Structure formats: C-alpha cells, structure tokens
Amino acid sequence: MATKRIDPEDLLPLTPAVFHVLLALADGERHGYAIMQEVAEHTAGRIKMGPGTLYGTIKRLIEARLIEESDERPDPHLDDERRRYYRLSGLGQRVVQAEARRYAEMVKVARGKKLIGRPAAAVQT
Amino acid sequence: MRAPVESKAVFVSRRCYERLLAVYPEGHRREYGLPMAQLFRDQCRDAWRESRSWGLVTLWLRVLPDLVKTSVLEHLSAMKARKSMVEKISEITNVNPAPLRTFFTVFIAVFLLVFGTSAIVTFLLPGSFQSTVRVKVERNASTSAGQNESPAASSGYDPYFFQTEFEVIRSGVVLGNVIEALDLNAKWGKRYAGGEKLKTPETITLLKGRMDLRAVRNTSSNSLTHRTKKSVKLKSR
C-alpha cells in the first residue's frame, strides 16, 4: 500500500521541544546528549531538556517519521559507551524548513512593527 | 577514550535515577531506559564538574518534575495505544466503528442517568413504613333471620358481607375511636398542620387515605394495611 505523501505544512506549528530537536539534527546526526547540549547552547542555557522530555520527544518524532535512528556507536569525544544516533528524515527536513520559514515571516512582521531591531549587518549601509 | 572517573555522588544519583525509571511504562522503559540513564549520567557529570553537590541538587530539582510529568504522559499514551473494545468488535465484524461507538456511548449515558436518578431519588425520599393486620371476620350467629337482611343473607351466604364490613371499618365511628385512642388529632396536627390540632373529620380523611382494606382470597379474613412515615400501632375493632 502506497503511503500518502504528508504535506509539511499540515504538521505546523511545531511545539518548542520538537522544533529544537529537529533544529539540533539539521546539520548532522547526533546522539541524545549532543542534542540536549545543542538545545541548551541555542537557547543560551534557558532550555535544558530532561531525559524524559528529550526521549519522549524523540519517540514521537520517530513515530511521526520526522527522524530516524541511524546507528549505535561510541562518541569519541565522550567515552567508550555505545550511544544511539538520530538523524532527520526527508520529511523531517522539509518540516523543520517549513517551520523555520514560518518563524522568519513572523520576525519580518515584528521588525516591520518595530518590535525588534534589525541585525547589525543589515543596519550598516 | 576511557570513561571519566565517577564521583560517589554521581554514582549514587545515577543509581537512584535508574531505579526511578520503573515509573515509566514497560515498553517505553525497554526501548529508551538505557539512553535515558546514559543522558542523566552525562548531565550529572556536567553538574558535578560545574558546581559539585549544589549542581547535582539543581539537576535533581529539574529532573524530578520532568520524570513525573513525562511518566504520566507515557502511561496515557500507552493506554490510548491499546485497542478499545469497540475497535476490536469492528475488526471482527468488519463494521464501521463510529456507529458502534455512538451506540455504546448513548447506552452507557442512559444507563448512568437512569441509575443515578433512581439512586438519588431513593436516598432523598423520606422513609416509609407499612403495617398489615389480618382480621378474621365471621357473621354474627345471633343475628335473627329476616330482619333487614337480603334473601341471600338469610340463606347463610351474603355476597355483600365483606363490603359491608369494610364500610363499617372505614366509618367515622370506628375510625373516630382509633383517632381518640391514639390521639392522632394532636400527633398529626404537629406533623402536618404546624402544631395546630386537627379536627376529627380532617384526621379521618388522612387516615382513610393511608388505609388499604382487602379481602384475603379463599378465606374469611380481611387484611388492613396502613402506610405511614412512622410506625403506628393499629388496633382492631
């Protein structure tokens, strides 16, 4: 039976936890600890995911086929323990891009209303 | 790269967290228990490196609510995943589950409504009592024949005998004696008339409304039943 092609727009808006996890995987596969570290870094330490939230989110993303488990191997930067690595699926890539575009449009509107300033590079002429 | 040496505090924290993973559903624990324990251990090492014991304390303060919340969510998710009875029936019978679901929902709702209403009404209604006395009634042998009696009665059988006796029992004379003996004018006056003493005709009307006189079939007895909210002694004439 052919699987119905899912429109990424149908899955928007994403919850913050889901968006952060997808964003962390956008530039390559990661294991859970690395995802958690990257989310903390993106949010300047404001969001530190607990194991329950992170793996609950990963479980739902796998069920929704937005991410997939790639393999299990040790992280050479940490220790010898084998860790599960995850990566974005094709659908996950399209969904996170759609959500990022949505945020960009909202930021554009906020700038238009002077709620937030332009980035430094754009201000200089 | 070798695993870093673990402090005792990190070791104890990790072991505690591994025990606490038991609150998750078995399926989730089997699939993600090990990675979750690994992640917590990594977070413990980071917290210990940054702020020693205080770092561990703040980590636990963050992780415990997360554990409680996500374990509840996982249990709810596991419950939803189990097929409902309606879905199993629809699979077997190859019937669209939506009407079945509607039928069961309506059935249960109506059942609960009827049961609940009956229970509430039963408990709200005041208690009531009923007493029954059987009286053997026989014709007085000394009644002389031919005096104000029907031809049937004079032959020994009177089809109106019981009805006549019922009317005698219900008469003002008999009931008046009962009312006087039990002081029902005063007692029922307190109960129904705000303390004001009832008049005898009013009490007779109330008493008649609570009496049920019937002939007991195939016998020469009458049964007299009285219903009340309190037990009342009945005296025969």
Side-chain angles (χ1 to χ4, degrees), chain A residues 32-33 36-37 48-56 58-60 62 69 76-84 86, chain B residues 1-4 17 24 28 30-32 35-36 38-43 45-46 50 62-63 66 69-70 74 77:
Chain A
Y33 179 53
M36 191 275 303
Q37 281 184 312
K48 285 184 182 173
M49 285 183 159
T53 300
L54 178 63
Y55 282 97
I58 285 174
K59 178 184 163 190
R60 273 169 264 292
I62 290 176
E69 197 175 315
H77 301 291
L78 291 173
D79 51 32
D80 292 337
E81 270 195 41
R82 292 165 68 85
R83 293 165 186 272
R84 280 193 215 165
Y86 303 94
Chain B
M1 184 179 168
R2 291 181 64 185
Y17 186 77
Y24 286 94
H28 185 82
R30 201 171 38 242
E31 183 67 27
Y32 296 106
M36 287 169 72
Q38 257 179 354
L39 176 59
F40 180 74
R41 187 208 53 212
D42 293 333
Q43 288 178 313
R45 285 178 186 162
D46 289 346
E50 281 169 25
R62 214 172 59 235
V63 163
D66 175 72
K69 187 185 94 175
T70 53
E74 290 303 326
S77 173

Side-chain angles (χ1 to χ4, degrees), chain A residues 9-79:
Chain A
E9 300 285 331
D10 293 341
L11 300 176
L12 303 186
L14 301 177
T15 63
V18 165
F19 183 58
H20 281 299
V21 170
L22 292 179
L23 208 55
L25 293 172
D27 52 2
E29 54 186 40
R30 301 252 190 291
H31 52 71
Y33 179 53
I35 294 173
M36 191 275 303
Q37 281 184 312
E38 189 145 340
V39 170
E41 197 182 308
H42 285 159
T43 57
R46 278 194 302 275
I47 297 178
K48 285 184 182 173
M49 285 183 159
T53 300
L54 178 63
Y55 282 97
T57 305
I58 285 174
K59 178 184 163 190
R60 273 169 264 292
L61 287 172
I62 290 176
E63 285 169 0
R65 295 182 192 172
L66 297 181
I67 67 173
E68 50 202 22
E69 197 175 315
S70 61
D71 65 1
E72 216 170 308
R73 60 181 189 272
D75 185 338
H77 301 291
L78 291 173
D79 51 32

